[in-house]
Every structure is written in structure tokens, then in C-alpha cells.
Amino acid sequence: MTSKPTEEQLKKSLELLGHYRLLFKNHPRKKYFVPLAEIYRSLECFDEAIQVLKEGLKYHPEYIIARALLAQTYFQMGYFAQANHEARKAIESDLENILALKIYIQSCSKLGLTPQSTFLQTPIGAIEDFELKPLTPKNDKKEVIDALNRLLIKIDQNRGQKKGELCQPF
């Protein structure tokens, strides 16, 4: 569960929201939609985030960061089927997108599906247990980078696997 933003954080988010809304309005075909959607998502304005992401993805359908953010937003809203679908699209384009992998696995779990590892042979439990943590003074940056590198090495070792169905019912 996320903590409530402080008044200062909220003020900064609203300033950024105004800035990126203007940029997106004036340049709808540019990639300003991602930071705008992230601000909406961080303010728990999920419907607005999804609307902005869908609009931006019309012009940039292969923008994996946007696709993973859309999956994350759907997941936070409890729309696990949509989250799974978007995460799967992101994974099929970028096997190294850890956010998409995590959302894919978690959404499979919520949907009662077994994550299929035909696209990579990394043990699902190893990815499922991987937790993204912020790089704060409490977390050793080297430790987090080492964990990411170990996961990416496993993924790289399994590139070239035949793409198949990513989920199957139990």
C-alpha cells in the first residue's frame, strides 16, 4: 500500500500535471503522454491515466514503457485481464522489461492462470519473488543492480526460445 503524499509532493505533482497536460495538448503525437499518465497514476486518477496512455499508444504502439505503464495502471485498478494482456504485449516485444514481467506473473496469479515460461526458462518463482525497491540510502545500490543483472542474465540465456502461449488455465 502506498503512503499518502505530503502537501509539498502533491503541490509538485499538480505543477507537473499542468505542465505535461499543456505539452500533451500542444503536441499530442509526442511522447509527453507517458509522464502525464504517470502523474495521473501517482495521484490515483487511474481512468485519466488509461485514457492518456491509450491515446498516446495510437501514435506509438511499440512504446514498451507506455505499454508496461498501462499494464501497471490496469493492475492497480483490479482489471487483471487487461493488465495481463498489456504486460504480455510488452514482454513479447521486450523480454527484459521487469515491470511487465512482474505484472504478467501477478495478473496470472489473480486470474487463476499458470504463467507459461515458454518464452524464457527462468524459474517463475525467481521472478515472482523479485521485488522492485527504490534506491534509497536504506537500499544498497550495488545490491539492487546485482539482483537486476542476475535476472537479466537468466533472461539473456533463454533468448531465442519459441514464443508460445504465455498463460494457460490451471
Side-chain angles (χ1 to χ4, degrees):
M1 183 164 207
T2 60
S3 60
K4 279 201 167 237
T6 65
E7 188 175 324
E8 187 174 318
Q9 290 170 326
L10 188 57
K11 184 179 176 185
K12 182 69 174 167
S13 291
L14 292 174
E15 287 173 14
L16 286 171
L17 180 66
H19 175 74
Y20 280 106
R21 282 178 70 189
L22 183 62
L23 285 173
F24 182 64
K25 181 181 176 187
N26 293 333
H27 308 283
R29 293 180 182 254
K30 295 203 176 195
K31 294 182 179 178
Y32 296 123
F33 71 99
V34 171
L36 176 60
E38 174 57 22
I39 294 166
Y40 276 131
R41 190 192 64 76
S42 71
L43 294 170
E44 296 184 1
C45 298
F46 300 123
D47 291 329
E48 291 83 353
I50 288 172
Q51 182 181 0
V52 167
L53 287 164
K54 284 182 173 182
E55 184 64 29
L57 284 166
K58 287 179 187 175
Y59 301 109
H60 304 283
E62 300 302 318
Y63 194 29
I64 304 307
I65 293 169
R67 186 86 47 207
L69 182 59
L70 182 57
Q72 181 181 22
T73 306
Y74 277 136
F75 189 87
Q76 285 182 283
M77 292 181 74
Y79 298 155
F80 303 121
Q82 293 92 329
N84 187 281
H85 177 75
E86 294 299 332
R88 185 173 156 168
K89 280 184 177 181
I91 293 167
E92 288 172 351
S93 296
D94 179 10
L95 287 174
E96 297 176 0
N97 191 306
I98 294 171
L99 176 61
L101 284 167
K102 185 170 182 172
I103 292 169
Y104 166 71
I105 291 165
Q106 290 175 341
S107 62
C108 280
S109 175
K110 295 283 187 180
L111 293 167
L113 302 171
T114 302
Q116 296 300 299
S117 60
T118 55
F119 63 101
L120 79 150
Q121 290 180 346
T122 303
I124 292 300
I127 296 173
E128 198 170 33
D129 296 336
F130 184 80
E131 185 177 335
L132 294 176
K133 297 179 182 176
L135 297 178
T136 65
K138 293 180 182 177
N139 299 83
D140 180 23
K141 185 176 180 177
K142 183 179 179 338
E143 181 182 315
V144 174
I145 291 171
D146 288 347
L148 283 170
N149 284 333
R150 284 192 304 273
L151 184 60
L152 293 175
I153 287 168
K154 287 181 181 180
I155 291 169
D156 284 342
Q157 289 171 347
N158 296 299
R159 280 197 179 275
Q161 294 294 335
K162 181 181 172 188
K163 287 184 183 176
E165 285 300 310
L166 298 179
C167 280
Q168 290 183 337
F170 282 124

